[in-house]
Amino acid sequence: MPVFPSRRDLVRAGSLGVLGLGLSSVLGSTTPQPRKAKSVILLFMWGGPSHLDTWDPKPDAPAEVRGEFGTIPTATTGLRVGEHFPKLSTRTDQLAVIRSMTHTDVAHLSSVHHLMTGRLAPKPNSDADPPSRHDTPHVGSMLDHLNPLPPGVPGFVSLPWAVSHPAAPGGVAPGQHAGWLGAGFDPFVVSGDPNAPGFKLAGLGEQSDRADGRTQLLRQLDRRVPDVGYSSAQTKAMHLLSAPDVQKAFDLSTEPPKTRDRYGRTTHGQCCLMARRLVEAGVRLVCVNWPNDGQTFWDTHGNNFKSLKTRLMPPADAGFSALLDDLSERGMLEETLVLWVGEFGRTPKINPANAGREHWARCYSAVLAGGGIQGGQVYGSSDRIGSDPAEKPTSPADLTATVYHAMGIEPDTPVTDRLGRPLAITEGTPLKGLFS
C-alpha cells in the first residue's frame, strides 16, 4: 500500500522549504516507529549517584573500591544491586539497567545540559555558565514544540525546583529550559515541598479580575517587545490557572494516606506521586529533580556511605518503587517511560580521608522502565572496578535519543534553531534493543 504523508508531515515540509528541505527529506529521513509512550517521567538524581553503591556494585573488588555496603539479589537472574535498594531489587523485572553510561564532563552544570538536551553544553566542563537562550532545548521543551498539547495542559513540568549548586559559580544548571526555542516552551516549574502540610500551588484556580488584568498587561508587553515572548509563555500559565484537571493533579490532599505513605513522606516521594498525577492529567514530560535538601544532594565527596544509607537511597528506593507499582496498577506503565539517572557517577576509589567518592563521568549507571522498555535486562557492563565501560558504551545523547524514540520521534528529526539552521533534535543514537 502507498504511504501518504500526514498533515503534520506536510506542515513540517512547508516550514522547512525555505531551508531547502522538502517533503522527501522529511519523509525519507526516518523510518516510522510505533509510538508506545505517551508521557515521560524523568527522575533526576542531582549531584551524581555512586553507581558502585547502587546499580553496579563490585563485591569482588578491593575494599577501597568495594566500599562498606553489601549487595542483594534481584528479580533478574544474575543482577545484584546495593543493599539499600531492597524495594527496587524486587522490581527489576520491570527495569532495564544500563551499566555503561559514559562521557568526559565532570562539571555539574554543563553535564546537566548534555543529559537533558542530547547535546554538549556551549561550554563543556564548566560550572561557571548559567542557562541562556543559546542553550539547546530540554527534551521536554522539544516534545512540547513538536507535539503541542491543548490549552490548559502543560507539556513540560519540572519540580520541585530548577537544580542549582551552591559551590558552582554559574549557580543554576543550563539545559533545564527551552533555550533557543523561546520562553513559550519553558517548563512550568513547581517550587516548594509537596510533602509540607497544607502544600498548595500558589495561583492555581485564580479566577479574579487580577488574573484578567495580568493577561491584558502581558498582551501589551508582547506588542511592545515581541521578541521576548511574554504572551506565548504566560498565556500557557494563565490557561493553567483555570484548568480543573491539572489543578487537581497538584492537590495531593485528595490521595489516600496509604498511597502517600507508600511513596514515602519525603519531598522526593511526594514529587514522584505528583508526577504520576500529572501524566495522568495529560502532561507529556515531568522532570522530578532531587530536592534542595540543604546538604549535598547526591554529591557525596564526603560521608558517601552514611549519606547513601540514611538520606539518599531510602527515599529514592521508596519513591521509584511506588511509582512503578502505581503506574502498573493503573495500566499506565506501558505508556509512561520512566528514567532514573544522574549527571555522572562517582570514583571507583574511595577517598580514605573522608569516606567520599569524587566525580566520575567515564562510567556510571542509568535505569529505564515502562514506555515499551523490556524489563529484566542489563544493558552494557563496566570493567571489574566500575572505572570504564567494558561493552556498549552509552552517552547522555544516546539516552536522550532513546526517550525521543520511545515517544515515536526519531533523533534525526530536523528543527530550525534561532539562526535558521536545520538541526537534528539530538546527536545521540537510540538504544532500540531495550524495547520489547
Side-chain angles (χ1 to χ4, degrees):
M1 293 180 62
V3 178
F4 294 100
S6 66
R7 180 177 180 275
R8 180 179 164 202
D9 289 329
L10 293 171
V11 171
R12 285 179 58 205
S15 65
L16 294 171
V18 295
L19 301 171
L21 299 174
L23 182 59
S24 61
S25 66
V26 172
L27 295 179
S29 62
T30 61
T31 301
Q33 299 292 328
R35 177 172 174 172
K36 293 188 176 182
K38 294 181 180 179
S39 301
V40 180
I41 296 175
L42 170 54
L43 304 178
F44 178 48
M45 303 298 105
W46 172 228
S50 169
H51 54 298
L52 295 121
D53 303 306
T54 54
W55 299 106
D56 193 11
K58 301 295 180 181
D60 298 325
E64 64 269 21
V65 172
R66 181 176 68 246
E68 300 176 10
F69 297 161
T71 67
I72 53 177
T74 71
T76 302
T77 302
L79 172 63
R80 299 183 73 88
V81 297
E83 64 176 307
H84 299 295
F85 273 168
K87 295 178 180 178
L88 285 168
S89 70
T90 66
R91 293 162 173 81
T92 58
D93 58 319
Q94 298 174 305
L95 305 178
V97 179
I98 302 174
R99 284 179 161 174
S100 53
M101 294 296 303
T102 184
H103 60 88
T104 59
D105 189 342
V106 293
H108 285 291
L109 268 60
S110 52
S111 59
V112 171
H113 184 284
H114 194 186
L115 174 69
M116 299 294 186
T117 71
R119 288 184 177 274
L120 293 174
K123 292 184 180 179
N125 291 287
S126 173
D127 275 328
D129 296 284
S132 84
R133 287 299 168 194
H134 296 284
D135 295 338
T136 303
H138 188 286
V139 61
S141 298
M142 191 64 77
L143 288 172
D144 194 19
H145 170 68
L146 294 172
N147 290 298
L149 294 172
V153 181
F156 174 20
V157 175
S158 182
L159 65 154
W161 67 320
V163 297
S164 64
H165 202 293
V172 178
Q176 298 186 76
H177 65 16
W180 46 255
L181 276 178
F185 296 98
D186 281 348
F188 182 83
V189 179
V190 178
S191 298
D193 182 2
N195 188 49
F199 171 81
K200 184 178 180 181
L201 199 61
L204 277 186
E206 185 176 322
Q207 299 285 341
S208 64
D209 292 339
R210 182 173 62 176
D212 293 337
R214 288 176 182 170
T215 302
Q216 294 299 321
L217 175 60
L218 289 167
R219 287 174 179 167
Q220 293 174 24
L221 287 170
D222 200 49
R223 283 195 296 269
R224 293 182 182 181
V225 196
D227 292 337
V228 175
Y230 287 104
S231 65
S232 57
Q234 298 296 332
T235 296
K236 289 186 177 182
M238 298 307 294
H239 280 302
L240 181 59
L241 296 180
S242 57
D245 289 343
V246 179
Q247 287 178 41
K248 292 176 183 177
F250 289 112
D251 184 7
L252 298 186
S253 67
T254 61
E255 285 287 342
K258 185 176 180 180
T259 300
R260 298 193 67 178
D261 292 343
R262 181 167 60 166
Y263 276 87
R265 296 288 185 147
T266 63
T267 304
H268 180 68
Q270 299 304 296
C271 283
C272 289
L273 173 56
M274 187 175 289
R276 186 271 290 167
R277 292 171 62 86
L278 286 166
V279 298
E280 198 170 29
V283 177
R284 182 161 287 122
L285 187 143
V286 181
C287 185
V288 177
N289 295 314
W290 192 259
N292 183 2
D293 56 13
Q295 299 185 58
T296 58
F297 328 111
W298 289 81
D299 194 22
T300 53
H301 291 282
N303 294 316
N304 175 74
F305 300 99
K306 181 180 179 181
S307 295
L308 291 173
K309 180 179 179 178
T310 60
R311 68 179 179 85
L312 295 169
M313 291 180 71
D317 187 46
F320 193 0
S321 298
L323 180 61
L324 292 171
D325 293 349
D326 210 356
L327 291 171
S328 296
E329 292 165 5
R330 293 169 179 270
M332 296 171 59
L333 188 58
E334 270 301 300
E335 60 186 30
T336 307
L337 180 70
V338 184
L339 171 59
W340 189 103
V341 68
E343 66 269 37
F344 42 60
R346 315 303 298 186
T347 50
K349 189 173 181 180
I350 301 162
N351 185 343
N354 57 8
R357 295 189 191 266
E358 313 302 327
H359 298 181
W360 193 256
R362 281 164 46 183
C363 189
Y364 63 108
S365 301
V367 181
L368 297 98
I373 293 291
Q374 177 65 54
Q377 64 173 312
V378 178
Y379 182 92
S381 64
S382 61
D383 63 20
R384 65 183 186 86
I385 62 170
S387 175
D388 293 278
E391 59 177 357
K392 299 180 180 177
T394 301
S395 74
D398 295 336
L399 203 58
T400 306
T402 303
V403 172
Y404 284 123
H405 177 73
M407 298 293 288
I409 301 171
E410 290 308 289
D412 60 350
T413 299
V415 290
T416 304
D417 72 3
R418 61 190 296 158
L419 299 178
R421 302 172 299 180
L423 295 176
I425 55 176
T426 180
E427 295 176 325
T429 300
L431 308 179
K432 296 183 181 181
L434 294 181
F435 294 84
S436 56

